[in-house]
Amino acid sequence: DIRMTQSPSSLSASVGDRVTITCRASQDIRNDLGWYQQKPGNAPKRLIYAASNLQSGVPSRFSGSGSGTEFTLTISSLQPEDFATYYCLQHNSFPLTFGGGTKVEIK
Amino acid sequence: EVRLVESGGGLVKPGGSLRLSCAASGVTFNNYDMNWVRQAPGKGLEWVSFISSSSRYINYLDSVEGRFTISRDNAKNSIYLQMNSLRAEDTAVYYCVRDFTSITVIWGQGTMVTVSS
């Protein structure tokens, strides 16, 4: 199974801050990775697909990068509506695996 | 409006069974692979099962293999998850999700399954 190690597990940041979240895959997954945002009580929403492609309708302050085993989600200027939990998901091989999540909280 | 609507969740005793359904509306269904993903209370997301568009390919999380069965009825725009021999650790919100590999991923709103005596 491919293990997705996501860090940090939580962070505190202020509005306007630049935030970076990392996922490391235990083996090469090419660019078969998506980033998801989840707010309490809601289903997740995909922000980034194929590691670096912005989902339609998602603000351009979100960006993704990486391939192979190292991936990054960046929020260039944190907005109040961005406080949520973020997950990476690899769909390169079964079982599909999520990272452990990063909870972004208000400082 | 594009929607996936899950149903069938509820409270069941350990060892019991439940059948979850996911109905698609306003969305092309037949050509897409489908998945079930769950989230235990206060925990992260966990993929559970996959079924290809034609039902030819099926995969399961190891911990549910042999207990859960995924199926679909394209004529009814629906997928199902038959869950047998349920355990406390199966307690979660269960989401159906359309095709993680496509340009647009669609999630249902989830249905809660509670396994408790």
Side-chain angles (χ1 to χ4, degrees):
Chain A
D1 297 3
I2 297 174
R3 179 176 177 83
M4 301 301 296
T5 302
Q6 187 172 340
S7 61
S9 57
S10 66
L11 65 89
S12 295
S14 301
V15 172
D17 283 353
R18 183 181 182 88
V19 168
T20 299
I21 299 168
T22 299
C23 265
R24 177 178 293 115
S26 59
Q27 62 191 72
D28 186 347
I29 60 169
R30 303 183 304 179
N31 69 339
D32 297 330
L33 180 123
W35 287 98
Y36 294 79
Q37 176 193 67
Q38 187 180 33
K39 296 181 179 179
N42 290 341
K45 167 190 171 183
R46 192 170 66 180
L47 305 174
I48 302 289
Y49 66 95
S52 60
N53 294 274
L54 190 67
Q55 193 75 44
S56 175
V58 173
S60 59
R61 62 182 179 273
F62 291 94
S63 64
S65 64
S67 67
T69 61
E70 296 280 341
F71 301 88
T72 300
L73 173 70
T74 299
I75 310 172
S76 61
S77 178
L78 198 65
Q79 297 302 301
E81 59 268 31
D82 301 337
F83 292 96
T85 301
Y86 295 84
Y87 297 92
C88 61
L89 167 70
Q90 70 81 17
H91 56 83
N92 177 265
S93 63
F94 292 105
L96 306 189
T97 43
F98 288 90
T102 296
K103 186 173 184 179
V104 177
E105 299 175 303
I106 302 172
K107 181 183 284 185
Chain B
E1 181 189 2
V2 173
R3 293 184 71 193
L4 294 175
V5 179
E6 301 95 336
S7 60
L11 174 63
V12 61
K13 290 181 169 54
S17 298
L18 277 178
R19 187 189 193 220
L20 305 184
S21 299
C22 171
S25 62
V27 58
T28 304
F29 180 83
N30 295 3
N31 295 333
Y32 288 93
D33 302 334
M34 298 292 293
N35 298 268
W36 287 97
V37 171
R38 67 185 180 185
Q39 187 169 36
K43 302 298 184 183
L45 300 166
E46 182 175 54
W47 170 84
V48 173
S49 186
F50 163 93
I51 186 166
S52 64
S53 58
S54 65
S55 301
R56 180 174 181 181
Y57 300 104
I58 286 175
N59 291 88
Y60 297 100
L61 183 68
D62 280 352
S63 62
V64 308
E65 179 99 50
R67 300 188 298 122
F68 290 10
T69 302
I70 192 171
S71 61
R72 67 191 293 161
D73 184 339
N74 285 343
K76 294 183 178 180
N77 274 6
S78 294
I79 68 166
Y80 310 96
L81 188 67
Q82 176 67 43
M83 304 187 296
N84 299 330
S85 302
L86 282 160
R87 306 167 179 167
E89 54 266 35
D90 296 319
T91 294
V93 174
Y94 285 74
Y95 297 99
C96 68
V97 190
R98 192 187 84 169
D99 201 347
F100 287 114
T101 66
S102 68
I103 296 297
T104 303
V105 175
I106 299 172
W107 292 68
Q109 87 290 348
T111 186
M112 183 70 204
V113 172
T114 303
V115 184
S116 175
S117 55

